Amino acid sequence: MIPIEFFLAFAAILFAIGAYGVMTKSNTIIVLMCIELMLNAANINFIAFSAFLGDATGQVFVIMTISVAAAEVAVGIAILLNAYKIRKTTETDALTSMRW
């Protein structure tokens, strides 16, 4: 059996990569992908603790998180497509206001 520390370290590394991408990248699509990385890091922690404790509550939270993340990406991409249609860019610096 793989020890839980491996999963926690993997999730921490994945979360750090996602946080680094959110803070440094200016392309909105890449920022959305980095947010997904951070959500998946949290999901790995939920699953690891769920398996370690023998409780299915973490798995239920992961299913809920995955559905919320899918909705978040759909709304984010829809907003981004409309912004690209009007502004012709996906850079976060150019999309500072939601009012056109």
Side-chain angles (χ1 to χ4, degrees):
M1 179 162 178
I2 301 173
I4 193 169
E5 292 85 9
F6 172 77
F7 292 107
L8 297 178
F10 178 66
I13 292 169
L14 200 61
F15 189 87
I17 291 171
Y20 176 76
V22 167
M23 289 188 287
T24 60
K25 299 299 179 185
S26 62
N27 190 331
T28 312
I29 295 173
I30 294 175
V31 170
L32 280 175
M33 290 178 6
C34 291
I35 290 171
E36 289 299 317
L37 275 180
M38 292 192 303
L39 287 173
N40 284 328
N43 287 341
I44 288 171
N45 279 338
F46 275 127
I47 292 295
F49 280 113
S50 175
F52 181 72
L53 298 175
D55 188 15
T57 307
Q59 296 171 10
V60 172
F61 274 111
V62 167
I63 291 172
M64 185 183 73
T65 304
I66 289 172
S67 60
V68 169
E72 171 250 331
V73 167
V75 170
I77 289 177
I79 291 171
L80 189 61
L81 284 175
N82 277 333
Y84 182 76
K85 189 187 307 180
I86 294 171
R87 298 272 177 111
K88 304 294 182 201
T89 184
T90 59
E91 298 296 317
T92 55
D93 294 335
L95 301 174
T96 56
S97 75
M98 294 296 290
R99 190 173 185 191
W100 284 280

